[in-house]
């Protein structure tokens, strides 16, 4: 697919993230205005709430864009989602007869503040990259072998929806118990390069779903940084798994990129070492060629350094397979549920998606482009994830997924 041209001039740049091909959804405010729903186009945001209030855009009998989340649109279902995308093409496409009517509803992105795009219902994080799983096995168990169940089903854990935040939100270094029962600030603070899938329509308690149904339920995708306290995690994760080491913060990018925008970049599944059971098999593989990178910028550094590059296609299980497995035992899924892909690492060291892997547990420090040396994230460091799918003369991007680490909160007892 080539660039779809828009009358919004900034949308036609080959390097921009938000061409007409994309049209990602977010929540924004300007000045003291209330946050509301908008769509990114070039370097502008189309104010859907204002258009709806003016009677220029309607998806249902009720107003759905005047709230600070996309959950009400999600609940309308895939038919309404497709209808909205067609309407936006009509408003913003090159030569649109409605340009004069729509143009006053564009807001410069530089003036806007971006907010959480959804109300997160539940948050589940998976462990779906074979390269990451093997690396962590080598680091933690001394062997790169995979757990016995790993090639048979997506492995995940239930995280904290309350600490999912939008890009640009500062994160405090967590306190906690570390090996041998000592207490204090985390000393091995890490990131995980992930993508998140947002569930748009729900399922019924007690009823499993197929992978085809799961794919239809996914409203869109975001970049996701699953901040990780490796020393706290190492002490607590015996025998039950992640808890405080993962509960203090998860950052997502502000724009929701739809499956329709990513469709041209769909790619095949990985080579399977073990055939999947029928309920996990996909007639249409749910993998996408999305280029990803991790950047690190210490406080005071002149610029950010790119420390890793990976790709969403390195995953072993798709979002639809993860969602299907999540519901197979009867767990009901709801609009706004967020599924983290798990760390997306490639086969080469430069493609590893966590500092734990990049520094090999701290044994191989990284030297940044500006000269600083890092094994893990230090106070004042800003970590930024970026991602885009590359088309012919255009790209479909997500916007940055960034967070700065603040010192641990002072607490009596340490």
């Amino acid at each position: 697919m080539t660039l779809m041209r828009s009358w919004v001039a900034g949308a036609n740049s080959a390097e921009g993230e938000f061409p007409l091909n994309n049209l990602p959804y977010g929540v924004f405010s300007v000045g003291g205005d209330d946050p509301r729903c908008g769509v990114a186009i070039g370097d502008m945001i189309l104010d859907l709430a204002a258009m709806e209030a003016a009677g220029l855009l309607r998806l249902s009998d009720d107003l759905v864009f005047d709230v600070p989340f996309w959950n009400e649109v999600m609940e309308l279902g895939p038919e309404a989602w497709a209808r909205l995308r067609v309407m936006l093409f009509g408003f913003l496409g090159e030569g649109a007869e409605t340009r004069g009517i729509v143009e006053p509803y564009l807001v410069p992105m530089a003036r806007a503040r971006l907010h959480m795009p959804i109300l997160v219902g539940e948050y589940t994080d998976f462990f779906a990259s074979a390269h990451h799983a093997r690396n962590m096995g080598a680091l933690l168990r001394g062997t790169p072998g995979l757990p016995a169940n790993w090639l048979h089903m997506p492995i995940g854990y239930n995280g904290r929806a309350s600490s999912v935040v939008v890009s640009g939100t500062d994160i405090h270094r967590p306190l906690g118990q570390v090996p041998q029962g000592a207490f204090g600030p985390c000393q091995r603070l890490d990131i995980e390069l992930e993508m998140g899938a947002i569930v748009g329509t729900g399922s019924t308690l007690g009823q499993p779903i197929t992978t085809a149904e799961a794919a239809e339920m996914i409203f869109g995708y975001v970049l996701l940084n699953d901040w990780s306290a490796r020393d706290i995690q190492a002490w607590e994760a015996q025998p039950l798994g992640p808890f405080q080491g993962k509960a203090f913060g998860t950052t997502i990018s502000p724009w929701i990129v739809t499956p329709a925008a990513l469709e041209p970049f769909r790619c095949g599944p990985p080579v399977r070492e073990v055939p999947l059971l029928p309920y996990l098999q996909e007639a249409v593989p749910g993998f996408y060629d999305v280029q990803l990178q991790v950047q690190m910028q210490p406080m005071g550094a002149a610029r950010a350094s790119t420390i890793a590059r990976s790709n969403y296609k390195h995953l072993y299980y798709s979002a639809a397979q993860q969602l299907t497995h999540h519901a197979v035992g009867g767990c009901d899924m709801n609009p706004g549920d967020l599924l983290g892909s798990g760390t997306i690492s490639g086969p080469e060291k430069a493609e590893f998606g966590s500092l734990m892997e990049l520094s090999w547990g701290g044994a191989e420090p990284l030297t940044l482009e500006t000269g600083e040396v890092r094994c893990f994230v230090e106070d004042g460091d800003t970590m930024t994830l970026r991602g885009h799918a590359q088309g012919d003369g255009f790209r479909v991007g997500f916007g940055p997924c960034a967070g700065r680490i603040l010192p641990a909160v002072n607490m009596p007892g340490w």
Side-chain angles (χ1 to χ4, degrees):
M1 178 182 285
T2 57
L3 173 70
M4 300 172 66
R5 298 192 65 84
S6 169
W7 54 262
V8 181
N12 299 321
S13 167
E15 300 300 317
E17 292 192 291
F18 308 124
L20 188 63
N21 306 65
N22 192 351
L23 300 179
Y25 304 139
V27 170
F28 77 102
S29 63
V30 178
D33 293 346
D34 291 335
R36 66 257 191 208
C37 294
V39 61
I41 178 72
D43 55 1
M44 310 292 281
I45 300 173
L46 183 62
D47 189 338
L48 300 187
M51 289 189 65
E52 183 181 53
L56 300 175
L57 173 64
R58 276 299 175 93
L59 273 187
S60 74
D61 293 336
D62 298 319
L63 300 181
V64 294
F65 297 116
D66 64 337
V67 290
F69 44 78
W70 277 80
N71 298 57
E72 292 190 5
V73 175
M74 291 191 286
E75 291 175 5
L76 297 177
E79 183 179 332
W81 309 344
R83 194 154 32 93
L84 174 60
R85 188 167 174 84
V86 170
M87 285 190 284
L88 293 173
F89 285 151
F91 289 139
L92 299 169
E94 188 174 57
E97 296 180 0
T98 55
R99 173 176 177 173
I101 298 172
V102 173
E103 197 161 12
Y105 296 96
L106 289 175
V107 176
M109 199 174 291
R111 291 178 49 210
R113 177 186 175 190
L114 300 179
H115 303 267
M116 277 288 294
I118 62 170
L119 295 175
V120 180
E122 306 284 352
Y123 167 51
T124 302
D125 194 40
F126 285 88
F127 186 47
S129 162
H131 303 295
H132 174 68
R134 287 192 170 98
N135 289 339
M136 295 303 284
L139 284 163
L140 301 178
R141 299 187 300 275
T143 172
L146 296 170
N149 59 0
W150 200 93
L151 293 171
H152 296 266
M153 63 181 181
I155 304 301
Y157 70 92
N158 290 316
R160 286 292 304 175
S162 63
S163 53
V164 178
V165 297
V166 74
S167 176
T169 305
D170 293 338
I171 301 290
H172 279 279
R173 180 176 298 274
L175 295 168
Q177 286 199 32
V178 296
Q180 309 311 314
F183 180 82
C186 164
Q187 298 300 309
R188 293 163 69 88
L189 184 57
D190 201 357
I191 58 97
E192 291 192 339
L193 170 62
E194 303 191 24
M195 284 182 60
I198 296 170
V199 177
T201 58
S203 62
T204 303
L205 180 66
Q207 299 297 313
I209 56 176
T210 67
T211 53
E213 289 169 333
E216 289 292 313
M217 292 168 62
I218 295 173
F219 181 66
Y221 295 86
V222 292
L223 302 178
L224 186 150
N225 178 1
D226 182 32
W227 298 94
S228 301
R230 298 300 185 189
D231 43 0
I232 296 173
Q233 182 183 0
W235 180 238
E236 72 184 5
Q238 302 177 38
L240 290 183
F243 185 39
Q244 295 299 327
K246 297 281 194 173
F248 61 97
T250 300
T251 304
I252 65 170
S253 53
W255 296 106
I256 303 170
V257 176
T258 64
L262 293 176
E263 182 59 34
F265 309 100
R266 188 183 292 272
C267 55
V271 175
R272 302 278 179 205
E273 299 175 41
V274 176
L276 296 180
L277 294 176
Y279 82 96
L280 285 173
Q281 294 175 9
E282 291 182 298
V284 180
F287 299 87
Y288 301 101
D289 183 359
V290 177
Q291 300 174 34
L292 303 167
Q293 61 177 292
V294 180
Q295 295 178 329
M296 177 180 244
Q297 185 169 6
M299 184 169 58
R303 64 182 185 276
S305 299
T306 298
I307 60 173
R309 299 180 187 272
S310 190
N311 196 296
Y312 185 58
K313 66 184 180 182
H314 289 317
L315 288 179
Y316 196 82
Y317 296 102
S318 72
Q321 289 171 322
Q322 292 170 349
L323 179 53
T324 298
H325 184 66
H326 204 322
V328 73
C331 169
D332 53 326
M333 308 301 296
N334 296 298
D337 286 351
L338 176 65
L339 307 182
S341 64
T343 307
I344 306 171
S345 293
E348 305 297 329
K349 183 172 183 178
E351 300 174 288
F352 293 170
S354 69
L355 284 163
M356 184 74 170
E357 297 166 271
L358 288 166
S359 74
W360 207 247
E364 301 173 10
L366 304 175
T367 300
L368 306 183
E369 297 167 13
T370 48
E372 292 89 345
V373 176
R374 291 288 186 274
C375 290
F376 294 96
V377 185
E378 297 186 7
D379 291 350
D381 290 350
T382 296
M383 304 300 301
T384 303
L385 311 184
R386 298 185 184 275
H388 71 271
Q390 185 63 53
D392 182 7
F394 74 98
R395 59 178 51 176
V396 169
F398 294 78
C401 177
R404 180 182 59 166
I405 291 298
L406 301 181
V409 175
N410 189 21
M411 179 179 178
W414 65 272

